[in-house]
Amino acid sequence: MEQRLPSPCVVVLVGPGAAGKSTWASEHFGADLVVSSDRLRALVGSGEDDLAASADAFALLETVVSQRIGRGLTTVIDTLGLDRARRVEWLRQAREAGMPCVAVAFDTPAAECRRRNRERVKRIPADVLTGQLRAWGVAKKELPEEGYDDVLRPAVVRVVPEAFVGADAAVERQSSAPAGLRFGLQLSSYPGGRAGLGAWGREVAAKAEAVGFDAIYVMDHFRQIPQVGRAWDDFLESWTTLGYLAACTTRVRLGTLVSGITYRNVAHLGKIAATLDVLSGGRAVCGVGLAWFEAEHKAYGWPFPPVADRYTLLEDALQLLPVLWGPGNKPFHGRVLDVPDTTCYPRPLQERLPLLVGGSGRRTLRLASKYADAVNVFGDVAAVRERAAYVRSLTDRPVEITHLSTTLVGADVDALVERLRPRNQNPARYAATVNAGTVDDQIGRFRELAEAGVTEAMISLPDLDTLDDVGHVIAAFRT
């Protein structure tokens, strides 16, 4: 079975010469991750076998290792690793940087090391190799006591974002006892130029339905947010876009993640959502949230109330919207909202148009548990499990837990990361940010989220060309 190491991490190879360290490292890690004493000897001397350059090569190795660890980069230290003081120092640096550190023990039989050495063009002197084998016998006993996160055998290994470390076992659970999970696609950017946006949206929506998505969501903003792009990038108004997508699709639910409660008159928002539900054949979802983008409010001349005032408005809205969608025209009098006549016809086709609240804070979770049908949270599996348990502790009502994350999936993960990452961001950090992994990686991650209480996984794709790969992930949850 493949051994998964969290990215970034420090990997210390330990073993005598001719034990297979460099071969194993080259098979499992990109060349840029491996700091090799032999390669550095060639850099500062006349070649990898220039023993006279060894002292300078090892001094340079220490500098390179220290710099890489300090930058939080995965570092594979390919040298003999038989000097305990050096190993302990590398472990100390990893701990100081907050990085996991594992040792890989190459317990190759002495006879095999000698046989391999004899086949080399330039051999390790026999007495030197004998000394290394003797030192390995001592190091082998020391490694378990030095405090590594793990001491591994040289098997198949892959460095993956933390979210995928336990994916293998989760994939097996999904295969043997499948769990159901809905999937929603979040659109957070609109590429291709304004003349082609209509065709682009139609094509993406059709493809999303074809690969199995249950819903399509859009961000509710009026200019692009800084986490995604530039303020002047093309950005479509959310509810108008959903109306268009309703005409382009037949099955997926449609909603916002999420509508800022300060952006519209709340009664008007209710009318918009009801209209979308009718025109889409009962597929609308009304997502609402506290609103956070102050610069956007200022740009459009809208007031941006303090957090406490926005919470009050949000609580009123969560009570008003179901009244608007119900029969009659009864008045609503809240703490800050006063609507004398709640006439809203045609009423939504759904008996209860779903209300989804976005946010992970305790106060937001309390509001969701009291008034909403679902709450969309962020965070890793542990955080989701904690938030789901908190919601369950507050109510007996069936409040769904949904989860939004960025997801990059494909067979050649390294190539995708290299193509898409910003130039100033290291690959490991970008991969972790976008949850870059294979189809099996993602199946394992989403199985763990389902076990934590998630009923719908909403994903934002850095590359929409990966929709077919996402379809394979979705298929694994069709029970």
Side-chain angles (χ1 to χ4, degrees):
M1 179 181 284
E2 176 184 85
Q3 175 76 38
R4 294 166 184 247
L5 302 179
S7 175
C9 64
V10 177
V11 182
V12 181
L13 310 189
V14 188
K21 298 185 298 299
S22 295
T23 299
W24 180 84
S26 66
E27 288 174 349
H28 296 95
F29 298 93
D32 291 343
L33 305 183
V34 181
V35 184
S36 163
S37 56
D38 286 345
R39 286 168 58 195
L40 293 174
R41 192 182 289 116
L43 184 65
V44 298
S46 61
E48 291 190 359
D49 299 300
D50 185 357
L51 298 181
S54 293
D56 289 339
F58 281 115
L60 184 55
L61 180 141
E62 298 294 351
T63 299
V64 173
V65 167
S66 179
Q67 292 291 327
R68 288 186 62 84
I69 293 176
R71 286 183 168 82
L73 302 174
T74 292
T75 303
V76 181
I77 305 172
D78 178 17
T79 185
L80 293 174
L82 298 175
D83 184 328
R84 179 170 187 170
R86 277 183 167 159
R87 294 196 307 267
V88 171
E89 173 57 20
W90 296 330
L91 176 59
R92 184 198 67 76
Q93 291 181 36
R95 290 284 179 262
E96 191 174 273
M99 294 169 63
C101 182
V102 302
V104 183
F106 287 77
D107 197 14
T108 308
E112 177 63 15
C113 290
R114 291 191 173 99
R115 184 192 68 77
R116 293 175 182 175
N117 188 47
R118 287 194 297 271
E119 294 178 353
R120 288 182 168 185
V121 175
K122 292 188 177 181
R123 302 172 187 170
I124 304 170
D127 60 333
V128 173
L129 182 55
T130 297
Q132 293 175 3
L133 289 165
R134 189 179 301 115
W136 163 242
V138 175
K140 180 166 56 172
K141 298 175 182 177
E142 295 172 335
L143 288 176
E145 304 170 355
E146 290 175 1
Y148 302 99
D149 292 278
D150 207 347
V151 178
L152 310 174
R153 295 180 179 275
V156 177
V157 70
R158 184 160 64 99
V159 176
V160 297
E162 181 71 35
F164 302 125
V165 171
D168 271 350
V171 170
E172 181 60 34
R173 293 196 298 276
Q174 183 62 20
S175 176
S176 60
L181 186 66
R182 301 195 308 272
F183 285 83
L185 173 65
Q186 187 207 42
L187 300 180
S188 56
S189 60
Y190 301 95
R194 60 183 179 177
L197 278 179
W200 175 87
R202 185 168 58 249
E203 291 168 8
V204 169
K207 188 66 177 289
E209 278 202 322
V211 302
F213 275 99
D214 300 281
I216 297 176
Y217 299 95
V218 297
M219 295 200 305
D220 185 36
H221 288 288
F222 299 84
R223 54 197 281 184
Q224 185 56 275
I225 62 175
Q227 297 91 325
V228 178
R230 305 164 302 182
W232 56 88
D233 289 341
D234 288 335
F235 199 86
L236 300 177
E237 195 280 325
S238 62
W239 288 95
T240 311
T241 302
L242 293 173
Y244 175 74
L245 295 180
C248 298
T249 56
T250 60
R251 179 182 56 79
V252 291
R253 289 173 296 111
L254 301 159
T256 53
L257 273 181
V258 287
S259 286
I261 205 61
T262 56
Y263 289 143
R264 301 168 186 84
N265 172 286
V266 176
H268 185 199
L269 174 64
K271 179 66 177 181
I272 293 169
T275 299
L276 176 66
D277 198 60
V278 169
L279 295 181
S280 67
R283 293 185 284 139
V285 177
C286 186
V288 290
L290 204 60
W292 59 270
F293 196 7
E294 183 176 6
E296 184 174 56
H297 287 75
K298 289 181 177 178
Y300 277 76
W302 296 324
F304 187 65
V307 170
D309 293 348
R310 282 180 279 137
Y311 266 117
T312 301
L313 176 60
L314 179 60
E315 184 167 12
D316 271 6
L318 291 170
Q319 296 173 78
L320 166 62
L321 290 169
V323 174
L324 276 163
W325 298 329
N329 62 345
K330 60 187 81 61
F332 175 85
H333 304 292
R335 292 172 62 189
V336 293
L337 292 178
D338 191 55
V339 181
D341 184 335
T342 57
T343 300
C344 182
Y345 291 91
R347 291 164 50 202
L349 292 181
Q350 297 180 79
E351 185 175 344
R352 180 176 172 90
L353 199 161
L355 259 179
L356 179 150
V357 176
S360 298
R362 285 291 178 105
R363 188 169 179 181
T364 301
L365 296 178
R366 288 196 295 272
L367 286 180
S369 70
K370 192 172 182 180
Y371 302 110
D373 301 287
V375 58
N376 188 68
V377 301
F378 303 96
D380 60 17
V381 170
V384 170
R385 184 178 295 110
E386 178 185 340
R387 288 158 184 163
Y390 182 65
V391 171
R392 287 195 299 269
S393 74
L394 295 172
T395 182
D396 293 329
R397 296 175 55 250
V399 180
E400 291 196 343
I401 305 297
T402 68
H403 180 266
L404 174 64
S405 67
T406 305
T407 301
L408 181 59
V409 55
D412 192 342
V413 178
D414 291 341
L416 280 173
V417 168
E418 191 57 34
R419 176 167 63 84
L420 296 171
R421 70 179 176 91
R423 185 175 180 181
N424 63 347
Q425 193 168 18
N426 77 57
R429 190 167 293 118
Y430 177 75
T433 300
V434 300
N435 294 294
T438 64
V439 167
D440 277 353
D441 290 336
Q442 304 294 353
I443 292 172
R445 179 169 76 97
F446 288 119
R447 171 60 189 237
E448 290 182 325
L449 285 167
E451 291 170 342
V454 171
T455 56
E456 181 172 358
M458 297 142 170
I459 60 178
S460 179
L461 300 178
D463 183 359
L464 286 166
D465 288 339
T466 63
L467 275 168
D468 283 327
D469 293 303
V470 178
H472 296 309
V473 178
I474 295 173
F477 291 86
R478 292 295 176 251
T479 59

